[in-house]
Amino acid sequence: MTENHEKFMRMAIRLSEQNVKEGLGGPFGAVIVKDGKVVAKSANKVTTSNDPTAHAEVSAIRIASKKLKTYDLNGCVIYTSCEPCPMCLGAIYWAHIDTIFYANTKRDAAEIGFDDNFIYEEIALSMEKRKLPVVQVLRDEAIQAFRLWQESDLKIEY
């Protein structure tokens, strides 16, 4: 089993290296595997797609979901060349991926300028203490969509 983990991790690492060598984005790669087979793989596409959410893990999740025609990636594992950032970690949880395997640590990433620690610190604060202003507007109107969801026979829970 360790041999397979290393094989898939090497794929993620190669994606991260290739991304840098070709000038396509940050040094991050991810591979999603189900039943021992690669379902999706991607490198970081932030700068080439002008999409700040196009991290390797999120991009691979998008590809896997499309390929498998599901938003639920139960039974899948992800191999990522670096410990996931808060956004990617959230996406992995929402996708219901079974296990995360990673190579570099968030500390390694911080040492080369990819420091997500401020996000972890901000999340721990109450909204009024965060650096980015957060202002609630029109809750009384917006709550109607939640009520509709609660009562809908058409909803698909996820």
Side-chain angles (χ1 to χ4, degrees), residues 65-156:
S65 295
K66 193 172 197 174
K67 185 174 181 181
L68 296 174
K69 296 180 169 97
T70 182
Y71 51 84
D72 186 339
L73 298 179
N74 255 314
C76 293
V77 297
I78 190 166
Y79 295 85
T80 178
S81 64
C82 186
E83 184 177 354
C85 75
M87 177 186 68
C88 293
L89 184 60
I92 291 165
Y93 272 99
W94 279 115
H96 303 285
I97 290 175
D98 292 357
T99 307
I100 301 168
F101 294 92
Y102 70 95
N104 293 318
T105 67
K106 61 185 177 185
R107 191 172 301 119
D108 296 330
E111 288 177 9
I112 62 162
F114 293 95
D115 191 351
D116 299 323
N117 196 49
F118 75 98
I119 298 173
Y120 288 105
E121 290 171 357
E122 284 286 298
I123 289 171
L125 297 173
S126 62
M127 282 195 276
E128 53 278 349
K129 290 184 180 178
R130 293 181 184 167
K131 291 179 184 136
L132 182 65
V134 180
V135 182
Q136 186 176 25
V137 179
L138 296 178
R139 179 190 179 270
D140 291 341
E141 290 182 32
I143 199 73
Q144 181 59 24
F146 284 11
R147 290 184 184 126
L148 288 169
W149 172 260
Q150 268 185 312
E151 298 165 6
S152 177
D153 292 331
L154 301 175
K155 69 182 169 195
I156 299 171

Side-chain angles (χ1 to χ4, degrees), residues 17-85:
E17 291 173 344
Q18 181 180 355
N19 217 41
V20 173
K21 289 175 183 174
E22 294 180 14
L24 299 174
F28 304 99
V31 176
I32 296 178
V33 174
K34 183 171 186 173
D35 300 326
K37 293 186 170 92
V38 174
V39 174
K41 56 186 178 177
S42 184
N44 177 285
K45 298 178 180 182
V46 170
T47 57
T48 54
S49 66
N50 293 317
D51 178 355
T53 68
H55 290 198
E57 298 91 335
V58 171
S59 296
I61 288 169
R62 290 173 180 160
I63 293 165
S65 295
K66 193 172 197 174
K67 185 174 181 181
L68 296 174
K69 296 180 169 97
T70 182
Y71 51 84
D72 186 339
L73 298 179
N74 255 314
C76 293
V77 297
I78 190 166
Y79 295 85
T80 178
S81 64
C82 186
E83 184 177 354
C85 75

